Amino acid sequence: MRTPTTAQSYVVAGSGRAELLKVEVKDSGGTFRDMSTYPGFNAVDSVTWSEGVDDPHTTAEITLRREVESFNLSPFVEGSPSNLAFTYGGALNTLLGLNREVKVSVAVIPADGTVQAYDWILVFHGRIDTIDAAQGERITLQCRDLGGLVMDTFIENEQVHAFASVGGAPVALRIWEPNTAYSLGEYLLPSEARRDVGGTKAFYEVTTAGTSDSTEPTWPTSGTVADGTAVHTAAGTTDKDGGFNVEDVMQAILDANGLSSVTLYTPSSPGWAITQYLQQREPVLQAIRNLALQIGWDVRYKWDSGSSTFKLTFFEPDRAKTTPDYTFSATDYEDITGLKVDKAGIRNVVRVVYSDASSLDPTGAPLRKTVTVTDSGSITSYGRLFMEISEDSASQIDSVTEATAMANACLADLKDPEAEQEASMVYGFPWAELGDLYRFEANGRHYDSDQDLALVGVQHSAADGHITSSFTCRGKPSGGHARWHQVSTAAKPGGRHRTSVFESAEGVAVAASSVVGGTKLIVTGTTERISFGDGYEFHVSTSSGFTPSASTLQTISTSREVTIPQLVPGTTYYAKVVPRIRNASKIARAQPSDEVTFTAGRGSATHLSPDPEWGRLPLNGGFETQLDASGPPDHWTVQAGTWATHWTTGNSSGVSGSRYLVMSAAAGVSQEMRSATFGVDGSETYGVEFVTKNVSGTGNFYVDLNWLDADKASLSTDSIEVVSSGSSWSRYGGPNAGIYLNTFFTAPSTARFARVHIRKKTAADALSFAIDQVRVKRTEPVSTLVFAASSLASADGTQYMRVGAAHAAAGATEYVIRAPMSGVLRGLYVNAITAGSSIKHDFTVRTNGSGSMADSAITCALDATGGGGAPTSAEDASNLQFVLAGDRISVKVVTSGAPGTGYSDVFATLAIRA
Amino acid sequence: MSFLNVNGVALGAVNLTESVREIGNTTAAFDGTLRKSRQATKRDLDGGVPPMTQADAYAWEQHLRGIGETWSFETSLYGSKGTGPAGDDGSPALSAVHAKFGSKSLVIPNDTADGLQFVITSDSGPYTVSLWHYYSGAWHHRIFGSAGGFGYVDGVQDSTAGNDGARGIDTSTGSGYRLLNLGDFATGTLGGAQYFDDLVILPYAVPVSWVAGIYAKTVAFSALPVLTVTGDAIPESTRSCMGEAASSEFMQAVVDGSFRTNARKLSFKLSQV
């Protein structure tokens, strides 16, 4: 309670008094103007002012007479003398304006007395928030105390507090952000990724104001560093463990947010040292009061008798007060206008959830712990009434001691059903302060014993020449009831635990280890958890010394370890990592790490499944691998029909292995499967070979070779039509069973790819067949032909046919050999020689591609009828290719003339020209 | 001393009563105890005047109601009701060199323009202007008005009271207004800065009988609508009041030796401010 002067005490004790009111408004020139004289008339009508424990401000409503004659206080009347500072022809300077300072004073003096300057009691000092110039003939001003400025001032940037000091006083640190304007004298903390470079844990002062660069500078351990247009200078080292008195941190908050003119007054220090935390963006007063609330203290503007001013005061409500500050008898109040108790606000079980900085989990995060305090007496009387306060990880409540103190402060304020009394006083009592303990003497009607009640709210009204005060009182002084209920909230297990945000971190580095087709990049050099930082950019380039950019960015991850795939195996790459930090509202990209080089990994043979027939075309032509059991075999797709309905696999007794493809019987349904594409050479000759068996039904099916160009657009299709009839596996290379009955197709000259189609010929057929071991083969040149030994002579070591004595007579003899393979024979020729005479041998090369031996285009004659046996030869001169379409090749020799007249053997060879 | 003077002009009041008005309240506490809060006591006078001519009655009604405005030239160029000058061609200022009342007066430096202008009234309405003018080393009182021949300097009838070009004071009309020009140097005949104080502009014609009282006042004219009330009826000798003259009674009477069919009796109230 403010202390009345001796003179005032006598006046109060007397039975008559004069109560006077004075309102002063600071004009644009900084002079407080008395509103009872300055405007040209006495404008003061009435004032009400009030305060409460749950409102950080004292508020006032001032009602003024708006106008008399040409004197007008409305700020919208620009010609009014008071709005021209009573200067004829002067500039507009309205007397009443938003944010103008206002003082309200009252005087309590003997009745009929004359007020002296020393009689005035300053009861309100604040600023105008609202002006309403149309309240009838009056104008009203809504005002808040000087704390309004502190509340309206917003902490615009996140700041780190209780982490560094200059000259012994803690200072606010802004975490470095890119492209940000910094003012002279601000203090900076490197972003997380660059903090503690060099192990100094330094912080910096902005010694040249300017805008930071887009990339964080390399912070020096001492001296200055240029950053965009700004220059910073190392200012000292941070201290994460030392702690700073909370009132000093509060002052640092004020100083760092343009309120250095406001000095926090702490009559008695709580002796509470707090450690570093990240101050969120919020009103300054709210930030300070939140700190105070953590120990149940309060911050608000209070009267200071020493300086006779209102000061922003950090104080502890005297909860233990028992001696009343003042005693009111029934003579002092008009009525008790309210006297009630309410269960709603009672809490007798208080749990505080907090992060224990001294108890960490294996990752270094503080464990979330709880403290619960109870009041058994209250529980017995009113039942168990629970509340929970969850302190976030940035809270200064990080020990069991602090959490218990907070819980007890809360419990003390809420455990009892405080009687709430409202009393309307006869006189004004301008000395009232929140937290006063008043004794209301028994009046025999509301209570018959004295009641000691604490002031939690007061409203004064000055009008019509006198002042009245109305008190709202509760059981005892407190730090506020609603405030506790406002912070009551369930614990949030998902809350970010950031108490170790400011752990030291060294610069990051990156290490690489190859994986198949890529690399694994691992951030090293920091053990800090990622919770505060937003992750890392991983950049990869084939150029050494590259600058990380969008084109080199591979991924952004909050993990320190990523795998970068799809690099070219065996190629040398370079990698860098760029830490990204979310500072306030901006992403800060730290300096890139040093470069690391690596070679993208190659696969090894063991990476390949042995099941597919590697090296054969098409891939997985044996249908042996089917990684997705619900889909077709690997590298095969369903072109027509539905897998599992129209196409399935058989899983036992296949030919290539256990598995094979089965086309199900489905009349009226088009069914087609396609292989993956594979490379072919244009103009070369290919065949397709497979085994198949009929499962059920009748009908034909096709096995196609679909030729594709370089863009894999279809060029043409060659087909083998198969009549599926046998119920056991038969091998096909053409329309008829038998391995050597191959059909060959010449790829179009522009063909670069091909694929195999397996399709039913007629959709209406209810045909089901199995197919396995599909192979596409390219015909290859044959270098050797071997005739049956019985027909051969090898006198000179070369195998050849010997048309022996049997050919001493005219006739035809055919020498047949099994074709070495299907395909094309290049450079095939017949070479014949004979010593005989009068004889002629005509040679024809034949094959059985059509089922029986048929002539080919290669013929030659060895005509010795003229005498002598000059060697002769013939080649497949047309295109130097001889297509073996069957499984036999022969040389048919037709002998004519007059054999038998001499040695008539003829030696002939069918050979491949080298 | 007269029984009751208003701004130095004697008011022949009759049936005068005084009532007391307390500022504050007297409240019963919870136990019935009366508690008094009184920061001031105000005294109010009610009364009437003997029959007077209609012209005099009209003037008194205006005067008691505080019609008109005064300029003290102590803190600004604005009058007691907030009216400023109408025109400013003479670089006016407040000066402490000379002051008839208070500590300052209006000074118009020697210039070539029309000086400082004030709106008196409409260009055809009645008016009275009273002011103090410093020249020849002394303050001189000028009072002049719309009535013919109503012009007095230091209480002596003088036709130059309101039209003294040689000393920089005259009136002019235009745009529907009559303007008072102080320090009108248009003629260029003035020899130096002119000082004026205690300007009173009344939009009515005051009786000739008031001239002597106004001239003889030893204090400034009241800041209208506040009236300075003095006389034997005022024990504290001077009281600031606001007046009302809400009604008047017509009667036939002999006033000033002449029979009047339209004589009036005014009723008035003077409330202490």
Side-chain angles (χ1 to χ4, degrees):
Chain A
M1 194 182 99
R2 293 171 64 169
T3 306
T5 64
T6 303
Q8 289 166 346
S9 298
Y10 281 109
V11 172
V12 170
S15 57
R17 64 170 73 173
E19 296 167 320
L20 298 97
L21 173 66
K22 182 168 70 173
V23 176
E24 298 168 284
V25 177
K26 184 183 274 188
D27 67 11
S28 60
T31 303
F32 278 99
R33 301 294 189 180
D34 188 339
M35 298 305 289
S36 64
T37 57
Y38 180 75
F41 61 101
N42 187 342
V44 180
D45 210 49
S46 64
V47 176
T48 59
W49 69 101
S50 60
E51 60 182 331
V53 289
D54 291 314
D55 183 348
H57 303 293
T58 300
T59 58
E61 178 175 304
I62 299 170
T63 303
L64 303 172
R65 175 76 180 250
R66 183 182 60 220
E67 62 186 273
V68 167
E69 301 289 350
S70 295
F71 294 113
N72 199 315
L73 288 173
S74 169
F76 308 107
V77 178
E78 299 182 356
S80 172
S82 59
N83 289 334
L84 297 171
F86 288 91
T87 300
Y88 175 69
L92 177 65
N93 254 320
T94 60
L95 176 61
L96 300 181
L98 297 180
N99 221 31
R100 286 279 170 78
E101 284 188 44
V102 173
K103 287 182 177 177
V104 177
S105 303
V106 299
V108 178
I109 59 175
D112 312 322
T114 301
V115 66
Q116 304 296 329
Y118 51 75
D119 289 325
W120 291 110
I121 307 168
L122 182 64
V123 293
F124 177 82
H125 186 185
R127 291 180 175 84
I128 299 172
D129 282 337
T130 306
I131 301 173
D132 186 348
Q135 291 296 305
E137 293 293 318
R138 287 168 174 75
I139 186 167
T140 59
L141 312 177
Q142 305 289 344
C143 310
R144 277 180 301 163
D145 66 14
L146 296 174
L149 175 65
V150 188
M151 181 61 89
D152 292 346
T153 303
F154 210 84
I155 300 173
E156 299 177 14
N157 302 290
E158 290 182 332
Q159 297 165 344
V160 180
H161 282 280
F163 195 34
S165 62
V166 172
V171 295
L173 303 171
R174 286 183 65 179
I175 302 173
W176 184 89
E177 296 175 72
N179 304 317
T180 300
Y182 290 109
S183 304
L184 189 67
E186 284 191 287
Y187 292 98
L188 287 184
L189 190 64
S191 75
E192 184 179 18
R194 304 301 294 176
R195 202 165 299 151
D196 194 28
V197 172
T200 60
K201 303 183 178 68
F203 68 99
Y204 303 83
E205 181 181 5
V206 179
T207 47
T208 300
T211 301
S212 62
D213 205 344
S214 58
T215 302
E216 191 164 0
T218 298
W219 299 98
T221 55
S222 64
T224 62
V225 59
D227 175 22
T229 59
V231 176
H232 315 309
T233 303
T237 58
T238 58
D239 178 5
K240 75 181 182 65
D241 298 320
F244 297 90
N245 283 334
V246 66
E247 60 268 29
D248 295 333
V249 175
M250 290 176 175
Q251 186 64 53
I253 294 174
L254 291 167
D255 294 346
N257 294 283
L259 294 172
S260 58
S261 61
V262 178
T263 301
L264 182 73
Y265 175 53
T266 308
S268 176
S269 172
W272 185 39
I274 63 175
T275 54
Q276 82 283 353
Y277 75 100
L278 189 66
Q279 175 60 54
Q280 298 298 309
R281 290 165 286 170
E282 61 183 338
V284 170
L285 187 60
Q286 184 175 314
I288 293 175
R289 286 173 60 83
N290 285 345
L291 284 174
L293 183 62
Q294 292 181 18
I295 53 172
W297 284 41
D298 199 0
V299 175
R300 64 171 64 238
Y301 267 85
K302 285 188 70 176
W303 178 255
D304 173 48
S305 58
S307 61
S308 295
T309 57
F310 286 98
K311 286 183 173 179
L312 184 64
T313 306
F314 176 41
F315 65 99
E316 180 183 23
D318 187 359
R319 295 182 172 85
K321 183 187 293 185
T322 55
T323 303
D325 294 296
Y326 200 81
T327 298
F328 293 100
S329 69
T331 308
D332 296 317
Y333 53 84
E334 288 183 345
D335 200 1
I336 304 299
T337 55
L339 181 63
K340 64 181 180 181
V341 291
D342 188 355
K343 181 182 175 184
I346 301 174
R347 296 292 184 272
N348 47 38
V349 180
V350 179
R351 176 189 295 162
V352 173
V353 184
Y354 67 102
S355 298
D356 191 339
S358 63
S359 183
L360 308 178
D361 70 10
T363 68
L367 293 176
R368 294 290 277 177
K369 292 186 174 180
T370 62
V371 162
T372 304
V373 295
T374 62
D375 186 274
S376 58
S378 177
I379 293 174
T380 301
S381 298
Y382 314 115
R384 189 177 178 89
L385 298 167
F386 173 82
M387 73 176 286
E388 183 172 75
I389 300 173
S390 176
E391 289 294 293
D392 67 26
S393 59
S395 167
Q396 293 301 325
I397 303 297
D398 60 359
S399 72
V400 64
T401 303
E402 293 167 341
T404 303
M406 182 186 198
N408 280 328
C410 177
L411 183 69
D413 283 351
L414 302 181
K415 69 184 175 63
D416 292 323
E418 309 295 1
E420 184 168 302
Q421 169 179 298
E422 294 178 3
S424 174
M425 312 308 289
V426 173
Y427 291 124
F429 195 73
W431 303 279
E433 281 188 313
L434 296 177
D436 289 349
L437 186 64
Y438 294 147
R439 173 165 293 169
F440 290 85
E441 293 180 340
N443 60 23
R445 295 175 65 184
H446 296 101
Y447 28 74
D448 57 6
S449 62
D450 294 351
Q451 298 290 311
D452 289 348
L453 299 169
L455 189 68
V456 295
V458 60
Q459 174 170 309
H460 309 274
S461 177
D464 299 328
H466 69 284
I467 302 170
T468 58
S469 297
S470 295
F471 294 155
T472 301
C473 300
R474 286 205 196 101
K476 56 179 176 38
S478 76
H481 282 59
R483 292 172 64 200
W484 288 118
H485 288 294
Q486 284 164 1
V487 299
S488 172
T489 175
K492 299 180 287 294
R496 301 174 82 184
H497 301 164
R498 308 200 293 190
T499 51
S500 64
V501 159
F502 309 111
E503 291 288 346
S504 299
E506 298 173 356
V508 300
V510 61
S513 61
S514 294
V515 300
V516 176
T519 188
K520 177 187 285 185
L521 298 177
I522 303 169
V523 177
T524 63
T526 177
T527 56
E528 197 165 351
R529 286 172 294 112
I530 302 298
S531 56
F532 180 52
D534 267 358
Y536 301 94
E537 295 175 8
F538 292 90
H539 293 263
V540 170
S541 171
T542 54
S543 301
S544 175
F546 72 100
T547 299
S549 67
S551 63
T552 62
L553 178 64
Q554 298 296 312
T555 184
I556 298 175
S557 173
T558 57
S559 169
R560 286 197 185 86
E561 186 173 308
V562 300
T563 298
I564 309 295
Q566 296 182 335
L567 301 179
V568 180
T571 300
T572 298
Y573 287 94
Y574 303 88
K576 292 180 179 178
V577 62
V578 179
R580 293 163 61 91
I581 310 299
R582 186 179 296 281
N583 284 347
S585 58
K586 295 181 181 176
I587 296 290
R589 297 177 71 239
Q591 281 188 324
S593 68
D594 291 339
E595 191 170 272
V596 64
T597 183
F598 63 90
T599 301
R602 298 178 187 273
S604 67
T606 54
H607 284 99
L608 301 178
S609 166
D611 294 335
E613 296 173 280
W614 298 101
R616 286 188 173 180
L617 301 176
L619 198 60
N620 201 26
F623 309 105
E624 290 308 308
T625 65
Q626 186 183 13
L627 293 180
D628 179 6
S630 64
D634 301 338
H635 307 296
W636 288 87
T637 56
V638 178
Q639 179 65 21
T642 304
W643 182 257
T645 301
H646 304 121
W647 293 94
T648 60
T649 52
N651 292 314
S652 65
S653 303
V655 176
S656 60
S658 60
R659 187 174 289 118
Y660 52 90
L661 183 68
V662 176
M663 188 183 81
S664 305
V669 176
S670 295
Q671 293 163 278
E672 180 177 344
M673 292 285 293
R674 290 184 174 182
S675 74
T677 60
F678 47 87
V680 296
D681 296 328
S683 303
E684 292 293 339
T685 307
Y686 295 85
V688 59
E689 185 180 308
F690 49 90
V691 295
T692 184
K693 65 180 179 180
N694 181 265
V695 177
S696 65
T698 58
N700 295 2
F701 69 91
Y702 291 114
V703 176
D704 301 331
L705 273 179
N706 178 212
W707 307 110
L708 308 171
D709 65 12
D711 297 324
K712 295 191 175 180
S714 179
L715 294 169
S716 60
T717 300
D718 290 314
S719 302
I720 295 173
E721 181 176 354
V722 179
V723 178
S724 180
S725 58
S727 59
S728 58
W729 292 110
S730 298
R731 185 172 301 277
Y732 282 76
N736 298 309
I739 189 171
Y740 298 107
L741 298 179
N742 285 354
T743 299
F744 296 94
F745 308 107
T746 301
S749 61
T750 57
R752 295 293 181 271
F753 299 96
R755 64 188 165 213
V756 175
H757 300 174
I758 302 169
R759 59 187 170 99
K760 188 165 68 176
K761 178 181 181 182
T762 304
D765 292 345
L767 171 66
S768 176
F769 64 89
I771 186 168
D772 197 6
Q773 207 169 50
V774 177
R775 297 174 183 170
V776 172
K777 55 189 180 182
R778 171 176 165 172
T779 57
E780 296 294 341
V782 176
S783 57
T784 304
L785 293 171
V786 180
F787 286 84
S790 59
S791 343
L792 299 180
S794 57
D796 57 359
T798 301
Q799 292 185 327
Y800 53 87
M801 292 180 292
R802 176 173 66 84
V803 181
H807 289 280
T813 302
E814 184 168 17
Y815 296 89
V816 180
I817 61 174
R818 183 174 291 270
M821 60 172 291
S822 303
V824 176
L825 300 182
R826 290 198 177 95
L828 181 69
Y829 71 101
V830 179
N831 196 346
I833 189 170
T834 182
S837 60
S838 302
I839 192 167
K840 180 183 180 185
H841 302 284
D842 292 301
F843 303 91
T844 301
V845 180
R846 291 151 52 100
T847 70
N848 65 340
S850 59
S852 57
M853 302 303 288
D855 294 347
S856 74
I858 302 175
T859 61
C860 68
L862 180 60
D863 188 356
T865 54
T872 187
S873 66
E875 295 188 13
D876 51 345
S878 60
N879 58 6
L880 297 181
Q881 288 194 132
F882 185 85
V883 179
L884 278 175
D887 61 350
R888 296 291 191 275
I889 184 171
S890 70
V891 179
K892 182 179 179 181
V893 183
V894 178
T895 304
S896 59
T901 58
Y903 186 68
S904 61
D905 280 354
V906 58
F907 301 93
T909 58
L910 180 64
I912 304 296
R913 190 181 299 279
Chain B
M1 179 180 285
S2 302
F3 178 66
L4 191 65
N5 292 336
V6 179
N7 278 329
V9 182
L11 177 62
V14 296
N15 299 329
L16 194 64
T17 60
E18 184 178 82
S19 57
V20 171
R21 179 161 46 93
E22 293 190 346
I23 307 303
N25 70 344
T26 302
T27 307
F30 184 72
D31 62 358
T33 304
L34 283 181
R35 309 300 302 269
K36 178 176 287 293
S37 168
R38 183 174 67 222
Q39 64 168 240
T41 299
K42 305 293 186 182
R43 295 177 182 276
D44 303 332
L45 294 172
D46 280 282
V49 297
M52 58 177 64
T53 65
Q54 178 156 282
D56 285 2
Y58 182 74
W60 270 112
E61 178 221 300
Q62 301 278 304
H63 191 35
L64 288 169
R65 289 167 56 209
I67 303 298
E69 190 162 1
T70 58
W71 282 259
S72 68
F73 300 122
E74 286 300 308
T75 58
S76 72
L77 298 179
Y78 290 94
S80 59
K81 294 181 178 176
T83 305
D88 169 20
D89 291 331
S91 303
L94 301 180
S95 170
V97 175
H98 302 291
K100 174 59 182 175
F101 300 115
S103 59
K104 290 183 179 176
S105 62
L106 170 68
V107 58
I108 310 292
N110 194 355
D111 210 328
T112 57
D114 293 334
L116 189 63
Q117 297 176 318
F118 293 89
V119 172
I120 298 175
T121 179
S122 64
D123 57 3
S124 59
Y127 68 92
T128 303
V129 174
S130 167
L131 58 85
W132 288 86
H133 189 182
Y134 187 86
Y135 57 85
S136 302
W139 285 100
H140 300 276
H141 181 245
R142 295 177 183 271
I143 183 167
F144 55 92
S146 53
F150 187 84
Y152 298 85
V153 175
D154 295 335
V156 178
Q157 189 169 24
D158 188 331
S159 61
T160 67
N163 185 14
D164 189 350
R167 290 198 170 91
I169 181 168
D170 59 22
T171 62
S172 59
T173 57
S175 302
Y177 293 98
R178 176 178 298 279
L179 297 175
L180 170 66
N181 304 310
L182 297 180
D184 182 355
F185 293 91
T187 62
T189 59
L190 302 182
Q194 299 294 308
Y195 297 86
F196 302 93
D197 205 355
D198 201 29
L199 170 64
V200 182
I201 296 178
L202 305 174
Y204 56 91
V206 304
V208 173
S209 60
W210 291 19
V211 172
I214 294 173
Y215 169 57
K217 271 171 54 63
T218 58
V219 295
F221 209 89
S222 65
L224 297 175
V226 174
L227 306 174
T228 300
V229 180
T230 57
D232 295 339
I234 309 298
E236 66 270 32
S237 77
T238 298
R239 183 183 297 169
S240 292
C241 297
M242 282 197 184
E244 298 175 41
S247 64
S248 61
E249 182 183 351
F250 285 97
M251 60 179 53
Q252 296 180 345
V254 175
V255 179
D256 295 340
S258 300
F259 178 76
R260 313 279 178 169
T261 59
N262 58 351
R264 291 194 190 204
K265 285 175 63 180
L266 277 179
S267 295
F268 68 88
K269 182 174 182 179
L270 291 168
S271 302
Q272 186 175 7
V273 298

